[in-house]
Amino acid sequence: MNMRIGELAKLTGCQPETVRFYEQKGLLPPPLRSQANYRIYDAAHAERLHFIRRCRSLGMSLDEVQTLLGFQDHPDQPCGGVNDLVDRHMLSINGQIAELQALHDQLSKLRQTCDSARPAGQCEILKQLSDTTPPLPANESIV
């Protein structure tokens, strides 16, 4: 199954620029070229691109994807490194969740300062956002 870049992009749900980007980053091997110098991709390119896109949909960095592709390219290696990478990625996500929860808590407290619609000049949210004192870290409060 040979296809050009537009066909590969459509098959994998991405843009041709994305395919070129992954080629430039070394995540996709260079395709063969037709006599007219068109890129010619095969099923292996499509499978690899699906793998890359799945990893990216899980929030993995290009470096993480590159590492996982290295394991995939060398199937005789033990997969402990894959487990370690996924564990580190989950720890990173847990940190992001904690940061987002703290941000949510701050916004919730800010929202509670304005309980009714009033002229913007009297809005407590706007007043607090205009405050020039440095904001407290998310996990601290005024005592």
Side-chain angles (χ1 to χ4, degrees), residues 8 48 54-55 88-90 106 108 113 117 130-131 136:
L8 175 65
R48 193 168 179 98
R54 177 75 173 133
C55 291
R88 283 191 308 272
H89 189 65
M90 287 189 313
Q106 285 181 336
S108 180
T113 65
S130 297
D131 190 354
L136 294 171

Side-chain angles (χ1 to χ4, degrees), residues 119-141:
Q122 298 173 6
C123 178
E124 286 300 316
I125 294 173
L126 293 176
K127 287 179 186 175
Q128 288 191 26
L129 290 173
S130 297
D131 190 354
T132 58
T133 59
L136 294 171
N139 58 355
E140 293 184 20
S141 60

Side-chain angles (χ1 to χ4, degrees), residues 13-124:
C14 65
Q15 298 295 317
E17 294 80 19
T18 304
V19 176
R20 287 188 205 100
F21 175 78
Y22 290 144
E23 281 179 35
Q24 291 170 349
K25 295 296 182 183
L27 299 175
L28 276 178
L32 297 175
R33 295 282 185 155
S34 70
Q35 287 191 347
N37 205 30
Y38 289 116
R39 292 174 167 92
I40 303 296
Y41 299 92
D42 59 24
H45 286 99
E47 288 174 21
R48 193 168 179 98
L49 188 53
H50 277 296
F51 180 88
I52 292 166
R53 292 191 38 82
R54 177 75 173 133
C55 291
R56 297 291 285 156
S57 76
L58 294 171
M60 293 183 184
S61 69
L62 292 178
D63 288 339
E64 289 171 323
V65 174
Q66 183 77 355
T67 299
L68 292 176
L69 286 169
F71 282 100
Q72 191 175 50
D73 291 343
H74 300 95
D76 294 334
Q77 290 185 48
C79 71
V82 174
N83 294 337
D84 292 342
L85 184 146
V86 171
D87 289 344
R88 283 191 308 272
H89 189 65
M90 287 189 313
L91 282 173
S92 173
I93 289 171
N94 287 340
Q96 292 172 7
I97 290 170
E99 289 174 8
L100 287 171
Q101 186 60 55
L103 179 60
H104 180 272
D105 292 347
Q106 285 181 336
L107 288 169
S108 180
K109 287 178 185 175
L110 186 61
R111 176 59 181 91
Q112 290 172 6
T113 65
C114 188
D115 58 3
S116 64
R118 56 181 84 163
Q122 298 173 6
C123 178
E124 286 300 316

